[in-house]
């Protein structure tokens, strides 16, 4: 468990921009445009500098006088990170910026604070939770999450599901490790970022995905047998086909694999 340092505050004594206000016990708070490249937080006649000097910022959630701000420098390398803004009679304080640049999964309140759960960018790792008690953030790595399905159950469970959920399912971790060595499994999980829902193809439920910033070169496809007895993975990395992992008979054809394994 890792603790992130306590609150820091900074204010700039000028006003800029117009935005929708959020109400607190101490008065309205607004995210405003400080200049062409930076957003700030206005409160009580002052504009406070938001940590990381973000190009974009908005209120993701509010719990009383605590506001979770999503901040971004723009572009698609990092969708968003987060900081807590705490409003009091003395002004506004901010937590350090936190997050993984991945998708925010859940925000929950309890135990004297608020927990923000965010996907990890490390292949094969569960999400990371960030607990905020009003003064400090505590970070904790969570285990892989169960999805409620195990090998041998009907494969149509996966129709409409996504490959990143399949690769992140605790129940399939051992199965995937049995058909792929750790290096290949890590690459497959990395490549399962952008994906459409899985669909039926003959006797299989199939999904294709690619790595977010290198979609043409780095791909993965997964076929789950309709009876749930087999899972087969096709992998492409660096623009070259890597191969097929799992029990696929010589006479079995999965059209979606052709896209991944094309020379």
């Amino acid at each position: 468990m890792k603790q992130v340092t306590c609150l820091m505050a900074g204010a700039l004594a000028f006003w800029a921009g117009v935005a929708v206000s959020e109400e607190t016990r101490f008065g309205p708070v607004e995210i405003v445009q400080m200049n062409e490249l930076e957003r700030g937080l206005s409160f009580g006649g002052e504009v406070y500098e938001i940590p990381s000097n973000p190009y974009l910022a908005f209120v993701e959630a509010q719990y009383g006088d605590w506001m979770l701000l999503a901040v971004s420098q723009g572009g698609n390398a990092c969708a968003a990170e987060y900081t807590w803004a705490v409003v009091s009679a003395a002004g506004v304080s901010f937590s350090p910026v936190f997050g993984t640049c991945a998708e925010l999964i859940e925000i929950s309140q309890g135990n004297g604070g608020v927990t923000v759960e965010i996907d990890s960018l490390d292949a094969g790792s569960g999400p990371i939770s960030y607990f905020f008690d009003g003064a400090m953030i505590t970070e904790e790595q969570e285990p892989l999450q169960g999805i409620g399905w195990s090998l041998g159950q009907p494969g149509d469970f996966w129709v409409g599901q996504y490959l990143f959920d399949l690769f992140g399912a605790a129940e399939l971790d051992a199965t995937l490790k049995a058909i792929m060595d750790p290096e290949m499994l890590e690459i497959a999980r990395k490549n399962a970022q952008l994906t459409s829902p899985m669909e039926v193809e003959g006797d299989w439920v199939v999904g294709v995905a690619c790595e977010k910033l290198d979609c043409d070169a780095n791909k993965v496809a997964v076929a789950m047998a309709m009876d749930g007895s087999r899972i087969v993975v096709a992998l492409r990395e660096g623009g070259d086909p890597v191969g097929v992992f799992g029990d696929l008979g010589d006479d079995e054809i999965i059209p979606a694999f052709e896209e991944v394994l094309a020379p």
Side-chain angles (χ1 to χ4, degrees):
M1 187 177 294
K2 179 172 62 177
Q3 291 188 329
V4 182
T5 53
C6 295
L7 295 177
M8 55 187 177
L12 299 180
F14 61 88
W15 185 275
V18 178
V20 176
S21 65
E22 306 289 344
E23 293 298 327
T24 73
R25 289 181 300 162
F26 305 100
V29 176
E30 299 176 79
I31 292 177
V32 297
Q33 185 168 340
M34 297 171 61
N35 54 56
E36 291 183 357
L37 300 177
E38 185 178 351
R39 298 298 190 273
L41 195 71
S42 67
F43 169 72
E46 290 186 289
V47 174
Y48 290 76
E49 190 176 65
I50 299 173
S52 80
N53 309 107
Y55 177 70
L56 299 171
F58 64 89
V59 177
E60 180 76 42
Q62 182 175 358
Y63 293 85
D65 303 318
W66 304 355
M67 282 171 289
L68 180 64
L69 308 184
V71 295
S72 172
Q73 302 304 328
N76 56 12
C78 181
E81 293 181 295
Y82 300 90
T83 182
W84 283 102
V86 178
V87 181
S88 69
V92 181
S93 297
F94 297 94
S95 78
V97 173
F98 64 91
T100 67
C101 292
E103 181 181 359
L104 189 154
I105 301 173
E106 184 179 23
I107 307 171
S108 57
Q109 188 174 20
N111 299 320
V114 180
T115 298
V116 178
E117 191 172 301
I118 302 174
D119 269 334
S120 172
L121 289 182
D122 294 331
S125 296
I128 298 176
S129 63
Y130 300 87
F131 176 76
F132 182 61
D133 63 4
M136 183 177 292
I137 292 175
T138 303
E139 176 182 337
E140 186 169 1
Q141 176 72 62
E142 302 291 345
L144 287 172
Q145 304 296 297
I147 200 166
W149 184 93
S150 298
L151 203 66
Q153 294 180 307
D156 59 4
F157 170 90
W158 292 100
V159 175
Q161 304 280 357
Y162 297 90
L163 286 195
F164 47 74
D165 291 325
L166 184 148
F167 279 108
E171 298 93 335
L172 283 175
D173 190 49
T175 299
L176 292 168
K177 288 176 177 175
I179 66 172
M180 309 180 75
D181 64 48
E183 181 182 359
M184 292 298 101
L185 180 53
E186 183 174 353
I187 291 172
R189 282 173 163 149
K190 170 185 70 70
N191 290 358
Q193 293 179 347
L194 297 180
T195 175
S196 298
M198 297 180 72
E199 299 178 339
V200 175
E201 282 190 11
D203 295 330
W204 302 87
V205 182
V206 178
V208 180
C210 64
E211 187 179 8
K212 182 177 180 180
L213 298 179
D214 211 347
C215 209
D216 291 333
N218 301 333
K219 295 177 180 289
V220 63
V222 175
M224 179 71 70
M226 285 295 287
D227 63 4
S229 63
R230 288 184 291 162
I231 180 171
V232 186
V233 179
L235 189 59
R236 181 181 191 84
E237 181 69 10
D240 298 319
V242 175
V244 175
F245 304 86
D247 182 15
L248 184 64
D250 293 336
D251 59 345
E252 292 182 294
I253 298 175
I254 300 175
F257 278 23
E258 297 178 5
E259 175 186 348
V260 174
L261 299 174

